[in-house]
Amino acid sequence: MVMHVEHGFGPVWNAESRVLVLGSMPSPKSREAGFYYMHPRNRFWPVMAALFANPADPSDVPGDSPVSRAAFALRHHVALWDVIASCDIVGASDASIRNAVPNDIAPILRGSEVGLVVVTGAKAGQLYRRLITPTLDAAGIGVPMIQLPSTSPANAAMRLDDLVVAYGDAFRQAGVPVNV
């Protein structure tokens, strides 16, 4: 069944953020939890742990709560949000997204050190190019965007190790130190 969905929670970022990671729209599990990538089978947080967790500091892990995950992301200069502020969608199916209204990412790009936008998945990339790029171009904001594979369980073809390599390459390009 198609539902109209509002994003429901704001971005995670600060002035020291260097990479802005944008999904399309939070899944029902993420909207329920009020935070990003909260489906237990989504591999986003395992990827972030592989890239950033300090093996010498057992407390440097994403954890399971929105508070611990936000702190982990910010500690490692990662900002989080989504391309879409609202849309019509069936469950968590990106392919079903219609009537998408974009978030305004310009304040994050102007107020931080973000030098790279990473979109997670094909639909997020398509929506970014269609809805956000023209606005940024008109505002004279020229931050590059890279489309990376989705960490969603729906993208079962991508192994965790392959996701870690792809995300690690992108973060290194933005000058963010990673473990791999």
Side-chain angles (χ1 to χ4, degrees):
M1 172 195 291
V2 176
M3 293 180 49
H4 181 76
V5 175
E6 298 288 327
H7 190 281
F9 48 95
V12 171
W13 69 285
N14 63 23
E16 290 80 40
S17 298
R18 293 187 199 158
V19 176
L20 173 58
V21 177
L22 299 174
S24 53
M25 171 60 89
S27 71
K29 289 277 188 200
S30 292
R31 292 192 306 270
E32 181 183 305
F35 200 67
Y36 303 92
Y37 307 102
M38 294 299 280
H39 189 288
R41 290 189 2 244
N42 191 299
R43 292 159 302 161
F44 182 80
W45 293 108
V47 168
M48 294 297 102
L51 293 177
F52 298 118
N54 179 351
D57 180 359
S59 68
D60 188 25
V61 295
D64 294 326
S65 74
V67 170
S68 67
R69 288 178 173 184
F72 184 85
L74 292 175
R75 190 166 51 252
H76 297 287
H77 309 289
V78 176
L80 304 169
W81 208 9
D82 287 298
V83 173
I84 303 172
S86 68
C87 68
D88 298 331
I89 190 170
V90 176
S93 170
D94 276 2
S96 73
I97 292 174
R98 302 287 181 269
N99 304 314
V101 175
N103 279 312
D104 180 8
I105 69 167
I108 295 172
L109 299 179
R110 286 189 180 116
S112 71
E113 298 177 24
V114 168
L116 179 67
V117 174
V118 168
V119 294
T120 61
K123 189 65 169 191
Q126 173 195 35
L127 291 166
Y128 183 94
R129 287 185 290 276
R130 183 167 55 92
L131 300 173
I132 293 181
T133 297
T135 304
L136 295 178
D137 288 348
I141 299 172
V143 176
M145 180 274 281
I146 293 177
Q147 179 179 310
L148 292 177
S150 173
T151 58
S152 164
N155 185 18
M158 285 294 293
R159 297 177 320 122
L160 179 61
D161 291 345
D162 297 329
L163 291 168
V164 169
V165 169
Y167 280 72
D169 289 346
F171 285 111
R172 268 193 299 280
Q173 180 177 328
V176 177
V178 297
N179 294 334
V180 293

